[in-house]
């Protein structure tokens, strides 16, 4: 049995180790007692969402006043993100070094934490573009670009993002979130970090395309391949792929008029209903423009989830000799945390191959130090805003680590550099084989996670605008298809980008006499007039009540509405299966005693909410 | 699947309670040998083994990170709640969905309260509490654990079925005339007679009250008595219910209940022996003797007496507090005179302590370690008030707790210390005579205490937090007699809803929300908390501070949240007496909100009157 430990936080390294050991031990003990994995662990000063799956354990901590349901959701999203970009968990832990894995987790966590307000954390929702000041035709145009791309049979679904926010998407929210990581990762970069050897780069810094391998769950893929709506227009989907594609216009701007030589049915709304998960950006009466929210701000309110991810894996794969190097690295962690409990068994299993587990131990301290640096860097950079900083930091760390590994191999194992190279080549080959979509899954993959299906994420960036498409793996080799999608969407993307860039941020309206948040559970979007930075006492009261009532809604299915009131504020919350809405009327409350009183203004909140929110497109009737 | 256990820092289980399901599960997991006689200790061992890693991890977390676990939950919805009181760790487990995290926390705090009631200040010393909870003698231990388990089960039964234990306030029987007559009777006849009798063995009746099931008919306190807090009164009702369980809550046929009552009437081999209870007072937990005299099944007379030497408790407590303060200041790094700041002069304390120790020596009670402390603290060669003094300071604390124990622990008092049996019998027959004609009426009344007349109103609970009393229509779903709600699945459904409403309201109150309305399914729920002055004038709301998640649960039985809340509010209204009220209501959801709120307002006004019945 071996165990790897990663902790990303400001916690001193000895405390990290203590926490890892204690939490893992106590979780195992409890899960044995209850014959069920631990899901949530509360401490006096913090709480941890926990996932125990197969032989892995992840724990994500946050401050105590974040609802349980929110932190659990966040951890699940995080793990899903990891699998999306790295494939089966066990495989990744065998392939990548601790440092590399730590960097990846940091990146994904950073992405998920990039929400602009505390409310975004509570609902774990998508960040959408502020459409208040945007011509609705632009949104339509974005949707049309996506539809046009889908005419290539290899394209499954796509989304368009502008500066880290969704403009339009055809994917379910959970999938859109995942796709967005790649976008933010490459945002404001001239070139792109090679993630797993598959990425490629075409074009200038201002317009570039890239692809990367991703892994989808069968249910996700099923939804993309066989969407619930009848897509008559995509009947040619059944055609075998890789056919020389017909020359056709893949994209059109709104000014384009349908020409008879193109597949006109694809534009006919009756024949081609919109994809079921089209996200309409929220339209809050935001007092701050999108531009402002996105730009770095030193006075930014810190996110409440203090990015404390702990991640432990334990696996005893008898056939793990393939990746003995990475296993060796993992074994050092075992010696430290489990006092070498089951190492022998593992070494025995590996003894047939070139195991060099002991040699690596001496390097443990150096490696631990290396983990700390990027983690702290990440803390300071505070996500999205300083993305380029983070990425360059990550890159330089990666380089450092590479160098470090060579030294390790030389000194620790007595292994020559050449041997090491050969080995890493072997690993790369294995990885490539595994990633080759046409390949049958390797034998040990059948043990778990076999269900993940490899696909390719294609991304076309035009400055701040990104077209992201999930495509069949054949798309990479099919040059004509790539060219087509690229060239035909380029003009429309350029046009859309120019429009979005030139859209005036608009003058922020005066803060309304009320505060509200409207969460769409289906599209996973949030409309609110609470701004991330200027959190006044009323907003704080609103967020506090929203947390509690949202928590209550998530616990009690039959609960439809709630009014909660303390001396200074009253908040009304209401929900249906599709949405949750919260409303606070601002202003000094009339003197009241809190005793039952029909004249009490708190009880008129439902009526006020219905009236006020209509103009935000929220219908509570 | 339920379990509750207490452990000390060396992972030694001081007490545990499990239900059969939990026991079976553990046995399955550990394949405990089924041999007769060996079964019990083996089960205790497996409990020890199972929880040891958690307990040890807890102390590691406290030592190294200054933080501690408060709960775990698993994917199959098992809940573990942990709470550390001084050196004692409490763990409560539920795996059957019957209890929430909050329920488990409350159970832990109630368990703590019960140990305080039973052992008083002894609970201040980990080592002594260990001795008390885990006696060397196996038989003695089994007896004590049996008693504690039974108390815990009684509490759980009451919490599940009795509204007064749901909201943790005492329910009064609403019959002002009879109530007044009874109080007069208790004062003029009963208490006076006993306290003037020579056979009372130095004891003095301070409080006397009559319970009909869990409801209070009359309560009298003598003039010398200090206030009996609602938290204590509720705990005493648990003790009484444990001795004489009401059939009202037992899910059995009435004949069987009658039978069981026959056997339950003599629960101890020595029926006239009192129970030792330690009750809160301004200074310290004061030892009392409690006499439970069953008048008829379901109706009980309770006498609380002051025992000889109880003043010793006050002086022990005075010094204990001084040593606790000193220890705290030394721990914080204060030395010399600064360590003694805020206390009467050192010399004065020193001479007082010496005087007391001499008196105790005369009573054959030794305090060792005092000389050691004196040498270190006061002699020229000693270190004075420095951190070196800490061990002997702690030792003194343990010694003082030991003195307290020697004076007051039940088995140390000797079995002869009690009101003479004939005096007890006389008291019993006097009250029996007085209430003979009322007996049947009272038993019925206890089940139909109050009726409602608002259309669309399903249920309500009204609580006066200033005196810790509540009024509510009955909800006896397991009883044969039909309550206002009828019986069967609907009543059971409403009961569940009422229970969850109270839990919800308390959760919001803990976060500072004093008004909550909820639309849930076909029902509309309201919760209000407000303050009034004595004349009924409604005072302005204030922001109630929100308490941390790991704090004491909202209630009166445990750590008395409402007493603290009233104190907090009174700071802003120092010139008047502040009263605090709560109203919980359940209405049909089809009724328009305006009407519901009007109802609530009328209800509050109407219910204000009955709470004016004098208690004296």
């Amino acid at each position: 049995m071996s165990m790897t430990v990663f902790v990303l936080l400001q916690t001193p390294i000895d405390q990290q180790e203590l926490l890892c050991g204690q939490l893992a031990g106590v979780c195992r003990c409890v899960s044995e007692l209850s014959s069920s994995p631990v899901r949530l662990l509360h401490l006096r000063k913090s709480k941890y969402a926990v996932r125990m799956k197969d032989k892995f354990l992840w724990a994500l901590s946050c401050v105590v006043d974040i609802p349980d349901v929110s932190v659990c959701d966040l951890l699940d999203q995080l793990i899903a993100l990891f699998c999306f970009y790295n494939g089966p968990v066990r495989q990744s832990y065998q392939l990548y070094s601790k440092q590399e894995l730590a960097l990846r987790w940091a990146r994904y966590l950073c992405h998920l934490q990039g929400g602009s307000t505390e409310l975004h954390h509570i609902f774990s929702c998508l960040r959408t573009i502020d459409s208040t000041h945007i011509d609705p035709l632009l949104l339509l145009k974005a949707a049309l670009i996506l539809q046009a791309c889908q005419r290539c049979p290899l394209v499954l679904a796509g989304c368009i993002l502008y500066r880290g926010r969704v403009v339009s998407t055809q994917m379910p929210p959970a999938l859109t979130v995942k796709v967005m990581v790649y976008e933010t990762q490459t945002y404001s970069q001239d070139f792109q970090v090679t993630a797993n050897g598959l990425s490629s780069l075409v074009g200038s810094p201002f317009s570039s395309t890239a692809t990367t391998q991703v892994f989808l769950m069968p249910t996700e893929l099923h939804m993309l391949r066989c969407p619930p709506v009848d897509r008559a227009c995509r009947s040619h989907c059944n055609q075998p792929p890789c056919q020389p594609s017909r020359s056709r216009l893949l994209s059109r701007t709104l000014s384009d008029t349908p020409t008879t030589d193109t597949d006109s049915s694809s534009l006919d709304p009756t024949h081609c209903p919109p994809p079921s998960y089209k996200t309409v950006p929220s339209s809050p009466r935001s007092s701050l423009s999108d531009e402002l929210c996105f730009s770095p701000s030193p006075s930014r309110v810190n996110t409440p989830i203090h990015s404390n991810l702990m991640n432990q894996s334990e696996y005893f794969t008898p056939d793990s000799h393939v990746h003995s190097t990475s296993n060796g690295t993992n074994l050092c962690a075992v010696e430290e945390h489990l006092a070498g409990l089951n190492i022998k068994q593992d070494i025995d299993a590996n003894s047939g191959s070139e195991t060099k587990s002991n040699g690596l131990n001496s390097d443990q301290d150096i490696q631990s130090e290396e983990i700390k640096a990027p983690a702290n860097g990440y803390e300071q950079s505070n996500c999205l805003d300083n993305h380029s900083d983070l990425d360059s930091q990550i890159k330089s760390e990666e380089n450092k680590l590479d160098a470090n590994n060579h030294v390790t191999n030389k000194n620790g194992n007595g292994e020559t550099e050449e041997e090491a190279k050969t080995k890493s080549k072997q690993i790369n080959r294995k990885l490539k084989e595994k990633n080759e979509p046409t390949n049958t899954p390797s034998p040990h993959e059948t043990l778990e996670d076999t269900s993940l299906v490899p696909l390719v994420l294609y991304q076309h960036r035009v400055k701040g605008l990104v077209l992201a498409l999930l495509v069949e793996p054949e798309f990479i080799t099919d040059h004509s298809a790539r060219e087509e999608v690229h060239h035909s969407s380029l003009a429309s993307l350029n046009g859309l980008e120019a429009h979005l860039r030139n859209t005036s941020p608009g003058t922020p309206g005066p803060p309304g006499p009320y505060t509200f948040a409207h969460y769409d559970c289906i599209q996973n979007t949030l409309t609110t007039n609470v701004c991330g930075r200027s959190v006044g006492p009323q907003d704080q009261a609103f967020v506090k009540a929203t947390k509690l009532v949202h928590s209550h809604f998530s616990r009690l299915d039959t609960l439809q509405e709630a009014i909660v009131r303390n001396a200074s504020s009253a908040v009304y919350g209401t929900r249906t299966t599709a949405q949750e809405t919260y409303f606070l009327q601002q202003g000094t409350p009339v003197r009241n005693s809190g005793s039952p009183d029909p004249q009490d203004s708190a009880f008129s909140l439902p009526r006020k909410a219905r009236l006020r929110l209509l103009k935000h497109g929220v219908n509570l009737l | 699947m339920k379990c509750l256990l207490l452990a000390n820092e060396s992972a030694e289980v001081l007490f545990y309670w499990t239900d059969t399901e939990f026991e079976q599960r553990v046995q399955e997991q550990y394949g405990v040998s089924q041999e007769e006689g060996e079964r019990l200790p083996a089960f205790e061992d497996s409990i020890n083994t199972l929880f040891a890693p958690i307990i040890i991890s807890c102390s590691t977390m406290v030592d190294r990170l200054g933080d501690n676990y408060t709960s775990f939950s698993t994917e199959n919805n098992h809940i573990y709640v942990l709470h550390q009181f001084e050196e004692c760790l409490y763990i409560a487990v539920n795996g059957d969905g019957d209890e929430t995290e909050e329920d488990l926390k409350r159970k832990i705090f109630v368990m703590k309260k019960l140990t305080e009631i039973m052992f008083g200040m002894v609970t201040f010393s980990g080592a002594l509490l260990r001795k008390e909870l885990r006696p060397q003698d196996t038989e003695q231990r089994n007896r004590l654990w049996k008693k504690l388990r039974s108390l815990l089960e009684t509490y759980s039964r009451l919490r599940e079925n009795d509204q007064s234990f749901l909201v943790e306030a005492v329910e009064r029987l609403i019959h002002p005339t009879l109530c007044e007559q009874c109080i007069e009777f208790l004062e003029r006849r009963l208490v006076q007679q006993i306290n003037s009798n020579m056979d009372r063995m130095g004891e003095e009746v301070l409080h006397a009250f009559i319970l009909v099931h869990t409801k209070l008919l009359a309560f009298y306190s003598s003039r010398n008595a200090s206030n009996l807090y609602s938290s204590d009164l509720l705990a005493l009702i648990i003790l009484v219910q444990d001795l004489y369980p009401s059939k009202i809550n037992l899910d059995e046929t009435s004949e069987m209940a009658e039978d069981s009552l026959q056997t339950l009437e003599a629960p101890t081999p020595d029926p006239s022996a009192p129970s030792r209870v330690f009750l809160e007072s301004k200074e310290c937990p004061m030892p009392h003797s409690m006499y439970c005299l069953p008048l008829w099944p379901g109706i009980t007379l309770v006498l609380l007496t002051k025992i000889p030497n109880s003043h010793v408790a006050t002086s022990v407590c005075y010094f204990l507090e001084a040593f606790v303060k000193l220890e705290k200041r030394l721990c914080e790094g204060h030395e010399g005179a600064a360590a003694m700041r805020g206390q009467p002069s050192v010399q004065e304390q020193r001479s007082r302590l010496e005087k007391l120790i001499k008196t105790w020596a005369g009573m054959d009670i030794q305090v060792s370690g005092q000389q050691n402390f004196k040498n270190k603290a006061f002699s020229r060669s000693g270190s004075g008030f420095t951190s070196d003094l800490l061990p002997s300071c702690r030792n003194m604390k343990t010694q003082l707790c030991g003195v307290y124990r020697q004076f007051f622990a039940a088995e140390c008092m000797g079995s002869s210390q009690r009101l003479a049996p004939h005096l007890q019998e006389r008291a019993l027959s006097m009250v029996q005579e007085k209430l003979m004609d009322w007996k049947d009426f009272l038993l019925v009344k206890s089940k139909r205490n109050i009726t409602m007349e608002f259309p669309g109103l399903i249920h309500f609970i009204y609580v006066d937090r200033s005196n810790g009393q509540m009024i509510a229509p009955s909800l006896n779903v397991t009883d044969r007699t039909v309550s206002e709600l009828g019986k069967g699945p609907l009543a059971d459904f409403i009961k569940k809803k009422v229970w969850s409403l109270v839990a919800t309201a308390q959760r919001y109150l803990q976060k500072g929300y004093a008004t909550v309305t909820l639309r849930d399914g076909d029902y509309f729920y309201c919760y209000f908390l407000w303050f009034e002055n004595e004349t009924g004038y409604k005072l302005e709301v204030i922001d109630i501070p929100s308490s941390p998640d790991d704090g004491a649960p909202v209630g009166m039985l445990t750590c008395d949240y409402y007493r603290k809340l009233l104190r907090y509010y009174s700071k802003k209204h120092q010139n008047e007496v502040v009263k605090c009220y709560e109203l919980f209501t359940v209405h049909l959801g089809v009724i328009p909100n305006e009407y519901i709120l009007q109802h609530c307002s009328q209800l509050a006004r109407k219910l204000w009157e009955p709470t004016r019945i004098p208690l004296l």
Side-chain angles (χ1 to χ4, degrees), chain A residues 22 32 34-35 51 555 558, chain B residues 25 57 75 80 507 520:
Chain A
Q22 295 299 319
E32 260 171 29
S34 287
S35 332
R51 259 295 171 218
R555 271 196 314 270
T558 49
Chain B
R25 194 187 180 91
S57 184
E75 281 175 22
Y80 295 67
R507 198 169 45 242
D520 176 9

Side-chain angles (χ1 to χ4, degrees), chain B residues 207-262:
Chain B
H207 308 277
F209 55 94
I210 300 167
L211 291 172
V212 183
H213 298 301
T214 55
K215 297 182 176 68
L216 193 63
L217 170 63
F219 185 100
Y220 167 77
S221 291
S222 81
R223 272 170 199 86
N224 313 338
S226 56
N227 189 18
L228 180 67
Y229 290 106
S230 307
S231 55
D232 281 342
L233 185 52
L234 284 164
L236 293 179
I237 295 176
I238 298 177
L239 296 185
V240 175
Q241 278 288 314
D242 186 50
L243 286 172
Y244 305 108
S246 291
K247 64 176 178 182
I248 196 170
N249 293 317
L250 298 176
D251 204 358
E252 290 167 322
T253 65
S254 57
E255 301 89 77
M256 273 179 74
E258 295 284 354
D259 286 348
S260 60
L261 271 167
Q262 296 293 313

Side-chain angles (χ1 to χ4, degrees), chain B residues 5 28 81 114 157 160 165 186 203 325 427 459 510 552:
Chain B
L5 73 88
E28 275 163 28
V81 172
L114 290 171
R157 175 168 58 80
E160 247 167 73
F165 281 85
L186 290 177
E203 298 193 10
K325 268 189 202 154
H459 193 68
Q510 192 163 33

